[in-house]
Amino acid sequence: MTELSTAPPPSAGVEFPLPRTCPYAPPEGYARFRDTDPLVRVTLYNGTSAWLVTRLAEAQDLLTDERLSANSRSEGYPFVVARMEGMKEQPPSFIGMDAPHHTVHRRMLIPDFSVKRMRAIRPYIEQIVNGLIDRMLEKGEPVDLVKEFALPVPSIVIAELLGVPEEDDDFFVEQSSLMIQATTPGAARDAGAQLAGYVNKLISKKEQEQGDPEEQGLIGRLTLEQLADGSLARQDLVQMALLLLVAGHQTTSSMISLSVATLLQHPDQLAALKADPSGLPAAVEELLRFLSITDVSAMRVATADIPVGDQLIRAGEGVVVVSTLVNRDERAFPDPDRLDLTRDARSHMSFSHGSHQCLGQNLARLEVEVALGVLFERIPTLRLAAPMESLSVRGAGDVQGVNELPVTW
């Protein structure tokens, strides 16, 4: 029997996150984490250390372990980039809560993201996608697919679900992008404050209107039901809306644009998909695994000692689960660096795992499926208008993606 290590772990390790060189491939340095222990000690930007989880099975086990906390205000919480430090100064959103508070808040949102709700909203998403393609074709080639298609699709959809006026879409795109891509805690805090102020005003407007909750969007429904009877605090509603606004468009936008780029770089896979569009749902799962848009799928801090194999996570130590790594674990996905749209990739962790698994995953899947299906059906000759290697890649620790994707047809 292997004994657990009782010696204090080293305070330093491999620097993390690692720089990217390709829009859709993992950082080259990730290769060093393969064939290693399930936990690897890494050093973060501020000199603190954390455990990096490298395998899928161990990651899934840990994210269902109640001894790991999602509370970002806890000592030892592993902020992987500087801008995230600003989270400590902001009221926590429900993804930064542990049970039972997290459970209560999450249940309030489940009806708005159910499979039934997604079926109902599919025609609306198809209408948005077709309208944006009409505009692209009218504008003429080349176009930036990020600006003209990938970003507007989820932005318009999430605004509709939340009950945000369409005329405010540009504001949310700009401020949420600033908050996500900020390089300092101050910049992230300022962008978050702009969004919080707006949402607060929108809540007040919903209170004054007193319309039918089911016709007011998610913010209106929660305002007139949960906020009105004291089940939800106003600040919690603001943070909930901010989370959904930001998460609802940035990650899905990147997934749409990078999926297009990746398929264009794998013409045999794209041709097979065009020949049999019924394979699109499975293709989306494989693209989610292959691209791992969020890269870091979970940051946690241990509240007690947790043994993992012959290693030991000590209470107070940070744990980082990187979906880019675990989604390419060859123990779970044979030949993991090969894109195979027929692969059963449903066990991927691009939406994280456990009680904090992404609430909007059904919406994200639907948006990507509709966007890809309609785009390649209507513009079958779509192709890149610039070499893949010339595209600017988002920095380490950011949502994986490209800032521009020039295409022609």
Side-chain angles (χ1 to χ4, degrees):
M1 178 177 177
T2 304
E3 293 184 357
L4 294 175
S5 172
T6 57
S11 59
V14 178
E15 290 188 2
F16 181 85
L18 301 177
R20 297 174 179 146
T21 57
C22 174
Y24 62 84
E28 295 177 2
Y30 276 10
R32 78 183 73 178
F33 298 128
R34 297 188 177 185
D35 301 321
T36 64
D37 292 326
L39 300 177
V40 174
R41 174 67 66 170
V42 294
T43 299
L44 306 179
Y45 75 96
N46 57 4
T48 61
S49 62
W51 290 110
L52 198 70
V53 187
T54 65
R55 300 179 187 174
L56 183 75
E58 284 80 358
Q60 291 177 335
D61 286 345
L62 283 167
L63 291 182
T64 56
D65 194 316
E66 294 182 355
R67 292 171 293 181
L68 282 184
S69 170
N71 187 351
S72 60
R73 294 184 172 187
S74 298
E75 188 69 27
Y77 187 88
F79 297 102
V80 298
V81 291
R83 63 176 172 79
M84 291 182 177
E85 291 277 2
M87 293 166 60
K88 291 189 294 187
E89 303 174 23
Q90 299 173 2
S93 65
F94 76 96
I95 64 167
M97 298 176 181
D98 298 321
H101 302 294
H102 169 263
T103 308
V104 172
H105 286 195
R106 184 180 175 93
R107 283 175 179 166
M108 293 179 183
L109 298 171
I110 288 176
D112 299 277
F113 295 94
S114 66
V115 174
K116 179 181 179 180
R117 179 74 174 105
M118 294 307 101
R119 290 197 192 102
I121 202 174
R122 185 182 187 111
Y124 176 73
I125 297 176
E126 291 173 345
Q127 177 186 341
I128 296 300
V129 168
N130 275 296
L132 290 169
I133 292 174
D134 287 342
R135 191 174 70 180
M136 285 170 51
L137 293 173
E138 181 179 349
K139 186 173 183 178
E141 55 189 321
V143 300
D144 174 10
L145 197 75
V146 173
K147 179 181 179 182
E148 302 294 338
F149 185 72
L151 191 56
V153 170
S155 298
I156 296 170
V157 172
I158 195 63
E160 171 70 15
L161 284 174
L162 294 176
V164 174
E166 184 177 342
E167 59 268 22
D168 294 334
D169 281 352
D170 289 344
F171 171 82
F172 281 107
V173 170
E174 179 182 1
Q175 293 301 322
S176 58
S177 294
L178 286 173
M179 186 163 67
I180 290 174
Q181 297 177 0
T183 57
T184 66
R189 183 173 57 250
D190 291 345
Q194 290 285 334
L195 284 167
Y198 175 85
V199 172
N200 229 322
K201 292 179 181 178
L202 183 59
I203 292 171
S204 296
K205 182 178 179 182
K206 298 293 185 182
E207 288 177 317
Q208 293 171 1
E209 290 175 349
Q210 287 293 317
D212 183 348
E214 298 303 320
E215 298 178 358
Q216 297 293 312
L218 186 150
I219 293 176
R221 180 180 68 78
L222 293 180
T223 297
L224 298 175
E225 294 179 349
Q226 309 293 344
L227 186 61
D229 69 6
S231 300
L232 185 66
R234 189 183 190 90
Q235 189 57 55
D236 288 338
L237 176 54
V238 171
Q239 292 303 312
M240 198 179 285
L242 288 181
L243 171 67
L244 295 172
L245 282 166
V246 175
H249 87 263
Q250 188 75 13
T251 52
T252 306
S253 167
S254 293
M255 185 64 202
I256 292 172
S257 56
L258 277 193
S259 292
V260 171
T262 302
L263 289 171
L264 292 175
Q265 291 294 100
H266 296 78
D268 57 329
Q269 296 282 304
L270 178 56
L273 185 60
K274 288 179 179 178
D276 183 14
S278 67
L280 190 53
V284 169
E285 296 301 328
E286 171 66 351
L287 286 164
L288 284 163
R289 179 200 72 84
F290 191 75
L291 296 172
S292 301
I293 295 298
T294 50
D295 196 16
V296 175
S297 62
M299 295 171 290
R300 301 286 188 269
V301 60
T303 60
D305 290 356
I306 306 174
V308 179
D310 61 353
Q311 296 173 285
L312 181 67
I313 301 172
R314 295 177 180 275
E317 292 184 333
V319 176
V320 181
V321 177
V322 180
S323 53
T324 309
L325 270 175
V326 300
N327 281 346
R328 299 213 180 195
D329 181 356
E330 61 184 7
R331 300 162 189 80
F333 306 105
D335 198 5
D337 294 327
R338 179 174 64 89
L339 179 70
D340 178 4
L341 299 185
T342 64
R343 183 199 305 267
D344 183 357
R346 288 174 294 178
S347 61
H348 68 77
M349 281 186 56
S350 294
F351 295 118
S352 194
H353 189 73
S355 62
H356 283 77
Q357 191 173 40
C358 177
L359 182 68
Q361 60 180 288
N362 291 329
L363 176 60
R365 286 185 172 98
L366 177 59
E367 289 174 319
V368 175
E369 181 182 329
V370 172
L372 294 180
V374 177
L375 181 65
F376 283 111
E377 179 184 6
R378 293 196 55 190
I379 314 180
T381 58
L382 190 76
R383 63 187 186 276
L384 295 179
M388 180 67 78
E389 58 270 18
S390 70
L391 302 178
S392 62
V393 181
R394 289 187 186 144
D398 195 1
V399 172
Q400 179 143 313
V402 290
N403 296 315
E404 296 180 348
L405 185 65
V407 295
T408 187
W409 50 87

